[in-house]
Amino acid sequence: MSTESALRLVWVYPDLLSTYGDRGNLLILARRADLRGLPVECSEVRSDQVLPEEADVYLLGGGEDGPQALAAQRLVSDGGLHRAVARGAVLFAVCAGYQLLGASFFAKGARCAGL
């Protein structure tokens, strides 16, 4: 059940972007909010699912070249992350997730469009 005042955290594409145990970022943010008495809702959205646009914080983790390129394609075509950030959501990105945020990046020797 969704609570209007809950902090909504979304781990984006853990099936593609979780090379370095990136679930820990989700867990620690949820724990820190909980310690402050903030209700928290965590969700993990796989790359074959539509990304919800109503969350407060989106987390992008690390990934190898192939999964990183696939994640970029799917995020661009989905458009939900762009709309969420445009309305003021926070985007927390590390490693390959951070690389995705540029205009382009290189994966497997090819230039790929970024977010």
Side-chain angles (χ1 to χ4, degrees), residues 8-11 21-32 40-44 57 59 92:
R8 296 160 299 187
L9 306 173
V10 174
W11 184 18
D22 296 298
R23 187 169 195 266
N25 294 324
L26 177 72
L27 296 176
I28 197 66
L29 286 174
R31 177 70 176 135
R32 292 179 65 102
V40 180
E41 293 176 7
C42 296
S43 60
E44 299 177 10
V57 180
L59 297 105
F92 181 90

Side-chain angles (χ1 to χ4, degrees), residues 12-19 45-49 51 59-82 94 96-101 105 107 112-115:
V12 179
Y13 298 174
D15 55 324
L16 298 176
L17 301 174
S18 184
T19 301
V45 178
R46 299 181 67 78
S47 62
D48 61 349
Q49 297 173 310
L51 199 66
L59 297 105
L60 291 172
E64 297 176 2
D65 283 2
Q68 179 183 2
L70 182 56
Q73 291 170 357
R74 290 187 177 176
L75 287 168
V76 167
S77 90
D78 177 88
L81 188 60
H82 278 104
V94 297
Y98 185 71
Q99 292 176 17
L100 291 173
L101 302 181
F105 60 93
C112 300
L115 303 176

